[in-house]
Amino acid sequence: MQHPATDADFDKIMSEAGATPVLLKFSATWCGPCVSISGDMEDLANEYAGNLICIHVDVDALEATSQKYGISCMPTIKISKGGEVMGEDVQGANMAGIKALVEKALA
């Protein structure tokens, strides 16, 4: 999972993604549910390496990016492909929902 330090770093990763789906995990260090799924999210990123780019977006550090994506709840998981957000979001620590979102994006 990639951890961009700035909004510019995030934009660079997104511009280089091309047609590869990108999983966006919006969270914060102080968010209990976000912390609880961190290990599972890293496992997911490793499982789909090469087919999916995974980005951890710290909403406190990347405020402009979080605002751009309309984040109001954490964690929020989105999938983007070609710069466009696909389908629905998953909110909360719902790993089954997150995995289903990934599978749908890769189908």
Side-chain angles (χ1 to χ4, degrees):
M1 181 159 295
Q2 299 184 45
H3 301 264
T6 67
D7 293 307
D9 293 341
F10 174 86
D11 291 341
K12 182 176 184 217
I13 295 167
M14 291 298 288
S15 69
E16 293 174 352
T20 303
V22 180
L23 180 145
L24 306 170
K25 175 192 173 201
F26 292 90
S27 67
T29 57
W30 46 264
C31 167
C34 301
V35 173
S36 74
I37 64 168
S38 290
D40 291 333
M41 292 298 295
E42 290 291 338
D43 292 344
L44 186 83
N46 290 332
E47 179 180 347
Y48 291 98
N51 297 311
L52 180 72
I53 297 167
C54 297
I55 304 175
H56 173 256
V57 179
D58 183 324
V59 297
D60 294 322
L62 281 71
E63 290 182 34
T65 297
S66 299
Q67 288 176 355
K68 175 182 172 184
Y69 285 89
I71 303 306
S72 61
C73 173
M74 289 169 291
T76 294
I77 311 301
K78 294 180 179 278
I79 299 280
S80 175
K81 190 170 184 181
E84 298 293 324
V85 174
M86 300 176 56
E88 301 176 18
D89 304 344
V90 175
Q91 296 181 339
N94 177 357
M95 284 308 297
I98 294 167
K99 184 131 183 176
L101 187 68
V102 168
E103 290 292 332
K104 187 175 180 181
L106 295 175

